[in-house]
């Protein structure tokens, strides 16, 4: 848990920092692979069933994911083929598996059905691969193939529709608002009229059957054409949105929308493109990935199937987050402290002892390392509104970058001895409290030379001599601190040992802060959060 301090860092860093680099913001996807339980790293299709389970079609069977664990089903369990190209669910809650070998199977009430135990399925065998599924308003099931056949199941009846030419190859089946069955592919659009197929004239055709879509709620048919996004409106195909040609020219595998005018377009080999309002820039995510399919689930999470990289999932909460790493321009991936300026700059304290600043799609750098150690993280940042300066602390360094952008001064021990700094705090009246390995020391004026003296037997100069973990000045100038004994505070020269009143406060407390109502919050090392009113 992170305690929010409301600390700020001043704008002047932009003048002082060298090395600007443009960055490409990315979203933080979670990657599921065979190491997490996927049957295969090549995944063709994603489906969420009516119970909320996620299903993944792979070339080594199918996976069902319950949010915690993957379960694998193969031909040993009743699948008609291990290489499954698509998964779908009908109104009877049967989950269908469209396979490479042209044999259908489905899962219902915890049992698999195939041609061996279902007489209807024994009539549906095709020499082609099944590629798409549709259930119409009469509950008829339509399965198209990559050859010249479409299979229609009507209750116990099976009908296989053939085409002498290539007109039915790689087609998408849907139903218009008038209840007519349409068949779409990259060269033809047909309508069933009784037992006959009538070809319809159209200005637009889908790039492929994969770029066609049907919305069950609105009964809207749409597809991506070379010209852009096309929708069926009152028996007319209408161009609804122009799309960048550099995207259209990619090998598009599917597209989907989050119902907020935002479109995701997936490609084989060039990742996914996210198109928001036409006035906003296009986001290019998962660059270089071969994405076969993508959906948004019931909870708003985005799922992507890939060839060779398993599954990528972006939580709904992550849609509004940006993920920065070394590949985007950071000088280190390990961030130990963060602060934000009123102007919107993000100041990052890094494990390597540097500062990175993110602002307006640029990352700026400031090297603060004065230690030879490779592990000396900047673990605390503080903006001083009085001095208009920045204070920073690492394991063995405390420093202030002055407002003139030219001066950095460091805390020193009088005899230039090394010191171990645990925490620091600056009061409204300018006192500087230090939590050190040797105890708590207070410099009465933060603007005075930053020098303290290590205590010894003849000079016990420390304010509270005992190994300290954290210090904090609250809004009333009360100094809170924790050490080996526990939590204490000092106010107007009066010391209160809070651990005497509650044994929990004898535990190691690593951070202290104050809420607007003056409630004190303490973070302990392994014993939770303490709230003190």
């Amino acid at each position: 848990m992170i305690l929010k301090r409301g600390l700020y860092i001043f704008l002047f860093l932009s003048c002082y920092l060298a090395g600007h680099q443009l960055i490409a913001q990315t979203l933080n996807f979670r990657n599921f692979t065979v190491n997490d339980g996927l049957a295969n790293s090549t995944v063709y299709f994603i489906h969420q069933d009516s119970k909320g389970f996620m299903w993944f079609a792979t070339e080594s069977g199918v996976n069902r994911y319950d949010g915690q664990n993957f379960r694998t089903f193969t031909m040993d369990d009743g699948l008609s083929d291990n290489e499954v190209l698509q998964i779908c669910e009908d109104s009877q809650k049967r989950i269908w598996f469209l396979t490479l070998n042209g044999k259908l199977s489905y899962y219902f009430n915890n049992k698999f059905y195939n041609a061996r135990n279902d007489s209807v399925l024994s009539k549906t065998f095709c020499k082609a691969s099944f590629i798409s599924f549709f259930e119409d308003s009469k509950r008829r099931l339509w399965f198209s193939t990559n050859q010249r056949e479409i299979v229609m199941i009507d209750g116990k009846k099976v009908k296989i529709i053939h085409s002498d030419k290539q007109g039915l190859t790689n087609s998408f089946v849907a139903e218009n608002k008038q209840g007519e069955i349409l068949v779409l592919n990259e060269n033809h659009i047909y309508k069933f009229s009784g037992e006959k197929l009538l070809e319809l004239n159209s200005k637009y055709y889908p790039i492929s059957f994969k770029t066609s879509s049907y919305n069950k709620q609105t009964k809207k048919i749409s597809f991506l054409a070379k010209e852009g996004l096309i929708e069926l409106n009152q028996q007319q195909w209408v161009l609804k949105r122009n799309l960048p040609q550099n995207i259209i020219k990619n090998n598009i595998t599917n597209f989907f929308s989050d119902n907020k005018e935002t479109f995701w377009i997936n490609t084989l080999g060039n990742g996914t493109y996210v198109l928001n309002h036409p006035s906003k820039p296009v986001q290019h995510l998962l660059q270089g990935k071969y994405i076969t399919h993508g959906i948004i689930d019931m909870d708003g999470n985005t799922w992507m199937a890939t060839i060779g990289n398993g599954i990528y999932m972006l939580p709904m909460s992550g849609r509004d987050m940006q993920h920065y790493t070394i590949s985007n321009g950071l000088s280190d991936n390990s961030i130990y402290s963060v602060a934000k300026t009123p102007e919107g700059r993000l100041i990052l304290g890094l494990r390597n002892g540097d500062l990175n600043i993110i602002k307006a799609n640029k990352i700026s750098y400031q090297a603060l390392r004065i230690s030879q150690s490779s592990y000396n993280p900047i673990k605390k940042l503080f903006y001083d509104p009085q001095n208009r300066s920045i204070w920073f602390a690492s394991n063995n360094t405390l420093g202030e970058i002055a407002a003139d952008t030219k001066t950095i001064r460091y805390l020193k021990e009088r005899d230039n001895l090394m010191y171990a700094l645990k925490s620091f705090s600056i009061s409204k009246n300018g006192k500087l409290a230090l939590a050190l390995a040797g105890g708590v020391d207070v410099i009465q004026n933060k603007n005075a030379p930053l020098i303290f003296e290590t205590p010894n037997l003849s000079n016990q100069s420390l304010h509270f001599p005992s190994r300290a973990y954290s210090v904090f000045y609250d809004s009333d100038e009360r100094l809170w601190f924790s050490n080996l004994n526990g939590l204490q505070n000092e106010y107007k020269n009066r010391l209160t040992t809070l651990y005497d009143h509650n044994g929990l406060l004898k535990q190691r407390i690593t951070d202290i802060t104050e809420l607007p109502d003056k409630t004190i919050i303490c973070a302990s090392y392994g014993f939770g959060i303490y709230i003190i009113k």
Side-chain angles (χ1 to χ4, degrees):
M1 180 175 291
I2 299 174
L3 298 180
K4 296 183 179 178
R5 296 182 177 275
L7 306 181
Y8 298 97
I9 302 237
F10 188 56
L11 174 64
F12 70 77
L13 277 172
S14 62
C15 302
Y16 189 65
L17 301 172
H20 295 80
Q21 181 173 343
L22 290 175
I23 59 175
Q25 299 174 354
T26 58
L27 297 178
N28 193 10
F29 285 84
R30 180 180 177 184
N31 186 209
F32 296 97
T33 67
V34 292
N35 294 327
D36 301 295
L38 271 180
N40 196 289
S41 60
T42 292
V43 184
Y44 297 121
F45 200 86
I46 305 171
H47 172 73
Q48 184 176 33
D49 68 22
S50 55
K51 296 179 180 179
F53 289 106
M54 302 299 301
W55 292 81
F56 307 104
T58 83
E59 62 179 8
S60 301
V62 297
N63 285 111
R64 187 180 67 183
Y65 181 60
D66 61 7
Q68 296 292 330
N69 300 298
F70 288 88
R71 183 176 178 182
T72 300
F73 300 103
T74 65
M75 294 178 69
D76 293 336
D77 301 290
L79 273 178
S80 55
D81 188 8
N82 281 340
E83 191 152 7
V84 180
L85 304 180
Q86 193 175 137
I87 304 173
C88 43
E89 184 175 6
D90 65 21
S91 57
Q92 298 181 50
K93 311 303 181 187
R94 295 177 296 185
I95 299 174
W96 291 83
F97 305 99
L98 282 61
T99 56
L100 183 70
N101 66 3
K103 297 179 181 180
L104 291 173
S105 56
Y106 66 85
Y107 181 82
F108 183 65
N109 287 339
N110 299 317
K111 182 179 178 180
F112 281 89
Y113 294 85
N114 52 50
R116 294 190 301 272
N117 59 3
D118 188 301
S119 59
V120 174
L121 295 184
S122 65
K123 305 173 186 177
T124 63
F125 172 70
C126 290
K127 295 181 180 180
S129 301
F130 288 107
I131 60 169
S132 72
F133 164 89
F134 180 74
E135 182 178 16
D136 65 23
S137 58
K138 297 178 182 179
R139 293 193 173 184
R140 295 178 298 182
L141 308 180
W142 301 78
F143 301 88
S144 63
T145 71
N146 64 350
Q147 296 297 329
R148 305 173 186 178
E149 297 175 326
I150 292 178
V151 176
M152 189 269 287
I153 300 177
D154 186 2
K156 298 293 183 179
K157 300 178 182 178
V158 175
K159 183 176 182 180
I160 299 180
I161 302 163
H162 299 272
S163 172
D164 294 334
K165 299 180 181 180
Q166 297 294 325
L168 295 182
T169 300
N170 291 331
S171 294
F172 179 84
V173 181
E175 183 179 19
N176 63 21
K177 293 182 179 180
Q178 288 73 36
E180 299 170 319
I181 299 299
L182 303 182
V183 180
L184 300 81
N185 59 44
E186 58 185 296
N187 296 309
H188 307 280
I189 296 179
Y190 296 102
K191 177 178 73 172
F192 271 99
S193 178
E195 298 295 319
K196 295 183 178 181
L197 271 176
L198 300 179
E199 185 164 4
L200 305 177
N201 293 323
S202 176
K203 183 180 178 180
Y204 309 106
Y205 293 95
I207 295 173
S208 79
F209 73 94
K210 297 177 182 179
T211 67
S212 302
S213 176
Y214 179 79
N215 189 308
K216 290 183 180 180
Q217 285 71 38
T218 63
K219 296 184 177 180
K220 182 179 294 184
I221 305 172
S222 59
F223 59 80
L224 295 184
K226 296 178 181 178
E227 296 80 4
L229 175 65
I230 310 298
E231 288 184 1
L232 182 61
N233 185 6
Q234 297 181 355
Q235 304 283 17
Q236 297 292 324
W237 296 104
V238 179
L239 177 63
K240 297 293 293 185
R241 181 169 181 171
N242 291 304
L243 299 176
Q245 284 301 305
N246 65 312
I247 297 177
I248 292 294
K249 291 178 181 179
N250 283 278
N251 189 354
I252 297 176
T253 51
N254 90 304
F255 79 100
F256 57 92
S257 172
D258 62 1
N259 297 320
K260 295 181 180 178
E261 296 286 331
T262 299
F263 288 90
W264 298 66
I265 299 177
N266 296 323
T267 71
L268 274 182
N270 209 13
T272 185
Y273 296 90
V274 183
L275 286 71
N276 297 291
H277 189 276
S279 63
K280 295 183 178 180
V282 175
Q283 286 182 284
H284 192 187
L285 309 175
L286 301 175
Q287 297 183 32
K289 299 294 187 294
Y290 289 77
I291 301 178
T292 54
H293 189 241
I295 67 167
I296 295 179
D297 69 18
M298 300 172 184
D299 298 316
N301 307 310
T302 304
W303 298 81
M304 299 291 187
T306 72
I307 293 177
N309 293 103
I311 296 290
Y312 287 92
M313 190 273 282
L314 176 67
M316 182 181 67
S317 59
R319 294 273 299 276
D320 297 323
M321 297 181 183
Q322 299 296 334
H323 187 213
Y324 299 95
T325 67
I326 288 177
S327 63
N328 305 117
L330 293 184
S331 59
D332 196 314
N333 279 339
S334 296
I335 313 299
Y336 276 68
S337 54
V338 180
K340 184 181 179 182
T341 71
E343 297 79 13
R345 292 180 180 272
L346 285 177
I347 315 299
L348 312 178
L350 308 181
R351 178 178 61 182
N352 63 13
D354 290 344
L355 293 183
N356 282 179
I357 290 84
I358 301 175
K359 176 65 176 179
N361 291 331
K362 292 183 179 179
I363 292 182
S364 304
Y365 308 110
Q366 170 63 60
L368 299 176
R369 284 174 282 182
I370 60 172
S371 170
Q372 297 301 316
S373 173
S374 60
Y375 181 76
N376 193 32
I378 304 299
K379 56 188 178 181
K380 184 173 179 179
L381 296 166
F382 175 73
Y383 170 61
D384 186 337
Q386 295 172 338
N387 290 0
R388 299 176 62 202
S389 63
I390 296 171
W391 295 77
F392 57 91
S394 66
N395 288 328
N396 51 37
T397 303
L398 174 67
E400 180 189 23
I401 304 176
D404 62 10
T405 73
K406 298 179 181 179
T407 306
I408 301 180
R409 62 184 189 135
Y410 294 94
L411 175 71
K412 295 182 179 181
E413 200 279 334
R414 189 193 63 177
D415 298 319
N416 290 321
L417 299 176
M418 293 291 294
Y419 60 88
L421 179 69
K422 301 300 180 182
S423 175
F424 75 94
S425 182
I426 298 176
S427 74
K428 292 189 300 184
N429 292 334
K431 294 181 180 180
L432 172 61
L434 308 171
L436 302 160
V440 176
D441 204 355
V442 175
I443 296 176
Q444 295 297 321
N445 183 357
K446 65 183 180 183
N447 296 320
L450 297 178
I451 299 174
F452 75 99
E453 183 177 358
T454 299
N456 51 55
L457 293 176
S458 61
N459 179 23
Q460 296 183 359
S461 61
L462 287 180
H463 202 73
F464 302 105
S466 183
R467 183 180 182 86
Y469 301 121
S470 59
V471 289
F472 176 71
Y473 276 111
D474 67 19
S475 56
D476 293 324
E477 294 284 305
R478 182 183 286 103
L479 176 62
W480 297 77
F481 63 93
S482 68
N483 57 23
L484 286 173
N485 299 317
L487 182 66
Q488 307 168 60
N489 67 44
E490 184 210 32
Y491 186 57
K492 296 182 178 179
N493 296 320
R494 179 183 175 183
L495 180 66
T496 302
T497 54
L498 288 92
Y499 56 83
D500 286 335
H501 304 285
N502 191 317
L504 288 174
L505 300 180
K506 292 182 179 181
Q507 305 298 338
R508 179 179 171 184
I509 292 175
T510 57
D511 201 9
I512 308 170
T513 193
E514 181 181 24
L515 299 183
D517 65 355
K518 297 190 176 183
T519 297
I520 296 296
I521 309 294
C522 300
S524 71
Y525 191 78
F527 292 87
I529 299 291
Y530 304 142
I531 302 173
I532 302 172
K533 290 184 178 290

